[in-house]
Amino acid sequence: MSLVGFGCGGSPAPPPAGPSPEPGPTAADTAEANAPPAPRHVAVSKVEIQGGGVDEAAVRKGLESQGEAFESCYAATLEATPEAAGRMILSYLFVKGERKSVSASHSGPGSATLNDCFQKAANSVTLAVDTAAERSSITVYLEMSKDAG
């Protein structure tokens, strides 16, 4: 009895492909990355520090981290009170590097809503104040305007 082998002609199967390359950025990703920053309606106009323990650049950087929250507070207030604008004053008190109080103060249209919302956003700002500073007081002046800056 004889065995006859049959084979399929042609070349051998290609080796399995490696992992797929990561997809590149889409047009939407590129457009978003290159888009100009959103207009700001709330801007820091002045920072006053008494007692040391922190510098102005660090305070501004901390405030920047909550910039969207401040913008949202103002935008929400404008819906109910279109004439809301002016100056918001944020006050921080630190004793030996520990935050003791945060307040927000605006007098004018929409102040009840603005004060509460800005105080919550300001409380979320991370500020590292040197524990060697006995008492540090930080006052931040924010200007709010419907005209984007």
Side-chain angles (χ1 to χ4, degrees):
M1 177 170 189
S2 121
L3 294 173
V4 178
F6 295 96
C8 297
S11 58
S20 300
E22 291 292 320
T26 65
D29 292 337
T30 303
E32 185 175 309
N34 294 329
R40 293 287 191 196
H41 299 278
V42 179
V44 176
S45 63
K46 185 176 181 183
V47 175
E48 295 177 343
I49 301 168
Q50 295 177 345
V54 66
D55 65 19
E56 183 175 337
V59 173
R60 286 180 179 271
K61 184 176 180 182
L63 292 166
E64 189 177 292
S65 72
Q66 289 299 310
E68 290 304 316
F70 294 130
E71 290 287 328
S72 294
C73 289
Y74 185 56
T77 301
L78 282 177
E79 289 180 18
T81 312
E83 65 276 11
R87 178 174 281 175
M88 171 65 70
I89 301 172
L90 305 178
S91 299
Y92 294 87
L93 174 63
F94 288 82
V95 175
K96 296 188 177 184
E98 183 180 340
R99 184 181 297 180
K100 295 296 184 179
S101 68
V102 178
S103 65
S105 178
H106 169 71
S107 59
S111 63
T113 304
L114 284 168
N115 290 342
D116 183 53
C117 190
F118 271 73
Q119 192 276 332
K120 288 176 183 170
N123 203 41
S124 296
V125 172
T126 300
L127 296 173
V129 176
D130 189 344
T131 57
E134 185 67 31
R135 180 181 171 96
S136 299
S137 174
I138 304 166
T139 305
V140 179
Y141 298 88
L142 301 173
E143 300 299 328
M144 302 175 294
S145 172
K146 290 183 261 186
D147 301 324

